[in-house]
Amino acid sequence: MEEKNEQLKSIWGKWWEPIRKWFYPSWLFYELSIQFYVYSTDVHNYFIEQQDCFTSFIGEIGTQILALFSGVVTFVICTIFLTIPACFILYKFFKIENLTSTLFEEKMKKYL
C-alpha cells in the first residue's frame, strides 16, 4: 500500500522537480501581470476616449488624473487579489507531495 502512495516521477527528469515549484508560479505571475497591465491600459484608454463626457464635470486635467488613477488601481487590485493568491496556491501545489490526496493529482504532476 505504501509503495503506491509515492509521487510519480516527472517525465522531464529529476532535475525538473525542484525547479517546477518556482517556475510555474513565476510563469503564472508573469502572464497574469501582462494581462492585468493590458486591462489597466484599456481602462485608461476608455477614460481618455470618453474625455468629452468627463471634462464638463472635472475638467481635462481631472479626466487625465482619473484615467491614470483608474488604470493603476485596476492593476494593483488584480495583482493583489488574483495574481498573488494564485501563484501561492500553485507553489503550494508543487511543494507539498500530495496536497489533495487524489489520484488525479498524482497523474497530473507526472506531466508537469
Side-chain angles (χ1 to χ4, degrees), residues 66-80:
L66 176 66
L68 181 65
F69 179 75
S70 299
V72 170
V73 167
T74 300
F75 181 78
V76 168
I77 288 174
C78 290
T79 300
I80 290 173

Side-chain angles (χ1 to χ4, degrees), residues 57-98:
F57 297 112
I58 56 177
E60 187 176 332
I61 294 176
T63 303
Q64 292 175 358
I65 291 171
L66 176 66
L68 181 65
F69 179 75
S70 299
V72 170
V73 167
T74 300
F75 181 78
V76 168
I77 288 174
C78 290
T79 300
I80 290 173
F81 290 108
L82 298 173
T83 305
I84 294 173
C87 293
F88 179 73
I89 290 169
L90 190 60
Y91 172 77
K92 284 294 189 182
F93 179 75
F94 284 109
K95 185 172 180 172
I96 298 174
E97 187 172 324
N98 198 356

